[in-house]
Amino acid sequence: MIEVNNVTKIFNRGKANEVTAIRQLNLHIAAQQYVVIVGSNGSGKSTLLNLIAGNTMASSGDIKLDGQVVTRLPDYRRSEWIARVFQNPLSGTAPDLSILDNFRLAALRTRPKSLRIGTTEAFKKQVQDKIAVLGMGLENKVQQAMGTLSGGQRQALTLLMSVMDECRVLLLDEPTAALDPRSADLVMRTAEELIKTFKLTAILITHNLKDAFNYGNRLLFMSEGQILKDYSREEKLILTQNDLFELFG
Amino acid sequence: MDFYLTALLQGLCFSGIALGIYISMKIFNIPDITTDGSYTLGSMVTAVMLTHQQSLYTTLIASVVAGAVAGALTGVIHTKLKINALLSGILVMTALYSVNLVVAGRSNIPLIGTASLYSAITFVTDLNLNTLIVLLGVVAVLTALIGYLLKTDFGIAMRATGNSETMIRALGVNTDRMKIIGLALANALTALSGFFITQQQGYADISMGIGIVITGLGSVIIAESLINWLQITSVWTSLMLVLLGAIIFQMVLALTLALGVDANMLKAVTAIFVLIIVSLPRLKLLNRYD
């Protein structure tokens, strides 16, 4: 589903502050794999995710999504395959727009936004049904501005928004970093459920080793722009939290 | 009374600028001051076309398209060349001064015996009243169109572009293109104000656009204060308040003149008035420790 071939990313090339964030990295992720990436700050996890999403372009190498070369495609074109949940709950939603409007845009992620009113009663009902699953009581507040909700609520809604339209790849960039433990747990469980129900290919970046241990069926450990360890489903099963902790040692 | 009617008419004429600034500043979050140039451009195109016996219809389209092109140019400079929005606007505005002179061929074009929007349809014989009725009708249609646009899927994407760029890009919108379209739309509306006002005052002048952006800003800021105060979320009501803002703004200026303030001081009064509206919500003298 996702192929990263020999990709290198260098920031500020030729300047004093030149940084090689990703070094000749190879990564193949099969459909329906749920990959968890751990690694210390500056190990290149987020850069890797941004390269896959198209927020930054590779200095060399190529990236394929579903067999198609997307190396030079900008982020707004790769949204055809990819849905994202950001570290900052504020990035994944538009605060001044209503919950309904946010969902409307998400429902059109892979399609053009036309001069047609799409926030119909039928659509509203559809959104309400989806939101009701969260059990947060937000289904009766769909006209409310997104900005009035808490970070946890917004992050949970961003997750739901990602499956409003056809989604093949879900990128989760430390989705719970800014949340309290209870909201974090809800977001992680919602993600797990969506990934299973919609048979998504997913990548999760996390600093929470408990989450890395509990979720996903493949685990990568990154350091200095390279993948140092790659545990398959079976290897991950026999891994203990302590083993994970020692990777950072 | 006539005095205030004129102010009301001017307010309605300026509704294009107010809606334009609302779109660029509030919806796209871009400080665009191409306005000064595109307003005069709309006005000059109108004057030239009308004095050359073109129909109102073609004149309207030509001036709106001219404004749109100016706005799109600012948009391209801002997004493609990554130049600060304010500077992009200044560059285009400055260049437009020459363009306007070339379009007009001179610095002032009086409209004598030309076709006029305000006498195209006669509801009442009193010209001022007839102008008012025509303007009210046209502005109502305009507001309805923009209100509809903002409610469509495309409109929601426009609003999201200025609100959360990361989000809307991840949802498949080319934000550069969106901003160019937004600035084109904003300046098309501004040029439309030029079209209205030229026929209302009966001439186009090269210096008429100087500082006109403040009219739009003032109107939008008045509207914003009301929107925050009344906690409005509806798009329609917001647009209505922007129109109301444009009218209040002209009324206050008319009042200032009526009070006997020297006409030379008008721009200073305008600036101070806008300053007061901007700072009022922030002063909070009454509940300082809130």
Side-chain angles (χ1 to χ4, degrees):
Chain A
M1 191 54 157
I2 306 171
E3 272 183 55
V4 177
N5 296 318
N6 207 18
V7 164
T8 298
K9 174 68 191 179
I10 301 166
F11 288 108
N12 309 316
R13 192 198 285 268
K15 295 186 189 148
N17 54 351
E18 181 177 297
V19 180
T20 308
I22 298 288
R23 279 169 217 277
Q24 299 177 335
L25 187 138
N26 285 292
L27 174 63
H28 290 220
I29 297 175
Q32 295 186 43
Q33 253 181 7
Y34 181 0
V35 183
V36 181
I37 305 179
V38 292
S40 43
N41 292 324
S43 59
K45 309 182 298 292
S46 288
T47 307
L48 176 61
L49 218 62
N50 285 334
L51 284 167
I52 293 172
N55 290 60
T56 47
M57 295 294 159
S59 305
S60 65
D62 65 63
I63 296 168
K64 284 182 191 168
L65 290 173
D66 213 3
Q68 204 168 322
V69 180
V70 297
T71 320
R72 295 284 149 224
L73 279 191
D75 50 354
Y76 58 83
R77 296 276 306 278
R78 295 194 207 180
S79 64
E80 197 181 310
W81 297 272
I82 295 175
R84 287 194 83 172
V85 178
F86 299 88
Q87 178 174 1
N88 183 348
L90 310 181
S91 302
T93 48
D96 291 348
L97 300 190
S98 66
I99 297 178
L100 189 65
D101 287 344
N102 272 280
F103 270 78
R104 182 62 200 164
L105 290 172
L108 297 171
R109 180 165 42 77
T110 66
R111 285 173 288 162
K113 285 78 184 157
S114 67
L115 290 172
R116 203 168 60 86
I117 293 187
T119 44
T120 55
E121 278 304 312
F123 181 77
K124 187 174 159 191
K125 183 80 188 50
Q126 191 193 336
V127 170
Q128 282 174 325
D129 289 347
K130 289 235 174 188
I131 299 180
V133 177
L134 290 176
M136 288 174 159
L138 293 174
E139 54 275 15
N140 299 318
K141 298 180 181 170
V142 292
Q143 299 291 0
Q144 204 170 313
M146 197 53 115
T148 60
L149 307 182
S150 71
Q153 289 172 323
R154 286 176 74 168
Q155 209 66 325
L157 289 180
T158 310
L159 265 174
L160 287 184
M161 280 164 60
S162 63
V163 293
M164 283 299 290
D165 199 356
E166 195 195 346
C167 172
R168 278 172 278 185
V169 176
L170 180 63
L171 301 182
L172 306 162
D173 186 0
E174 296 186 50
T176 61
L179 306 184
D180 65 72
R182 239 186 93 205
S183 309
D185 189 47
L186 175 78
V187 166
M188 286 312 300
R189 279 187 292 119
T190 312
E192 173 83 358
E193 207 171 302
L194 294 178
I195 290 167
K196 277 200 176 125
T197 317
F198 293 89
K199 299 189 164 56
L200 307 177
T201 309
I203 302 180
L204 165 73
I205 289 183
T206 184
H207 280 297
N208 184 329
L209 294 185
K210 210 170 124 237
D211 284 346
F213 181 73
N214 288 333
Y215 297 100
N217 48 34
R218 184 174 170 190
L219 180 85
L220 305 180
F221 174 74
M222 281 187 72
S223 181
E224 293 177 20
Q226 286 176 318
I227 297 170
L228 287 195
K229 292 274 192 309
D230 186 347
Y231 299 96
S232 67
R233 176 198 289 269
E234 293 73 26
E235 290 165 332
K236 186 172 183 295
L237 280 174
I238 53 167
L239 215 59
T240 64
Q241 276 199 58
N242 239 352
D243 294 337
L244 274 182
F245 191 73
E246 274 164 17
L247 284 175
F248 288 86
Chain B
M1 185 58 214
D2 248 14
F3 204 57
Y4 292 106
L5 179 61
T6 313
L8 177 61
L9 292 180
Q10 284 215 322
L12 286 171
C13 286
F14 286 139
S15 59
I17 297 186
L19 291 170
I21 296 281
Y22 179 72
I23 288 175
S24 61
M25 188 171 79
K26 296 314 296 177
I27 292 188
F28 281 94
N29 221 346
I30 296 174
D32 174 37
I33 59 168
T34 319
T35 311
D36 282 15
S38 52
Y39 170 69
T40 316
L41 179 66
S43 181
M44 285 301 185
V45 169
T46 303
V48 169
M49 301 264 304
L50 288 182
T51 49
H52 284 78
Q53 279 74 46
Q54 295 298 314
S55 74
L56 276 172
Y57 190 63
T58 21
T59 307
L60 170 69
I61 292 180
S63 59
V64 167
V65 168
V69 170
L73 203 58
T74 303
V76 170
I77 295 174
H78 171 49
T79 57
K80 300 297 176 200
L81 302 178
K82 314 270 179 237
I83 287 172
N84 175 296
L86 210 50
L87 181 58
S88 312
I90 293 173
L91 291 174
V92 173
M93 179 192 79
T94 308
L96 278 177
Y97 192 87
S98 302
V99 172
N100 289 333
L101 274 176
V102 171
V103 167
R106 53 198 158 131
S107 60
N108 186 298
I109 306 176
L111 295 181
I112 300 158
T114 52
S116 163
L117 176 69
Y118 310 121
S119 51
I121 315 165
T122 315
F123 295 101
V124 286
T125 44
D126 183 293
L127 184 62
N128 264 347
L129 266 183
N130 200 52
T131 305
L132 178 65
I133 296 170
V134 172
L135 267 178
L136 278 175
V138 174
V139 170
V141 171
L142 189 67
T143 315
L145 281 176
I146 294 174
Y148 176 82
L149 173 71
L150 292 178
K151 285 208 154 269
T152 62
D153 294 337
F154 187 81
I156 302 175
M158 273 171 65
R159 284 150 63 199
T161 302
N163 200 222
S164 180
E165 199 167 336
T166 357
M167 173 251 200
I168 197 66
R169 285 181 73 88
L171 294 180
V173 171
N174 179 346
T175 47
D176 284 357
R177 202 183 62 135
M178 202 50 124
K179 286 177 189 170
I180 295 169
I181 294 174
L183 287 173
L185 178 62
N187 284 288
L189 287 166
T190 303
L192 187 62
S193 265
F195 173 79
F196 289 151
I197 206 91
T198 309
Q199 297 174 66
Q200 200 256 336
Q201 65 188 16
Y203 64 89
D205 188 271
I206 189 69
S207 63
M208 65 192 281
I210 295 173
I212 202 74
V213 67
I214 199 95
T215 306
L217 281 173
S219 311
V220 171
I221 289 165
I222 295 173
E224 200 192 1
S225 304
L226 291 171
I227 288 168
N228 289 340
W229 184 45
L230 302 169
Q231 302 190 340
I232 304 289
T233 50
S234 147
V235 171
W236 294 105
T237 324
S238 303
L239 290 179
M240 297 308 275
L241 288 175
V242 171
L243 297 185
L244 185 67
I247 293 166
I248 292 176
F249 195 84
Q250 293 307 314
M251 285 293 179
V252 169
L253 292 188
L255 188 70
T256 330
L257 286 175
L259 288 175
V261 173
D262 185 351
N264 286 339
M265 292 300 289
L266 202 57
K267 292 272 184 204
V269 171
T270 313
I272 292 167
F273 176 51
V274 172
L275 178 66
I276 292 172
I277 315 166
V278 180
S279 54
L280 262 186
R282 286 172 205 187
L283 284 177
K284 282 191 185 168
L285 289 173
L286 295 172
N287 45 358
R288 186 175 295 184
Y289 302 106
D290 235 17

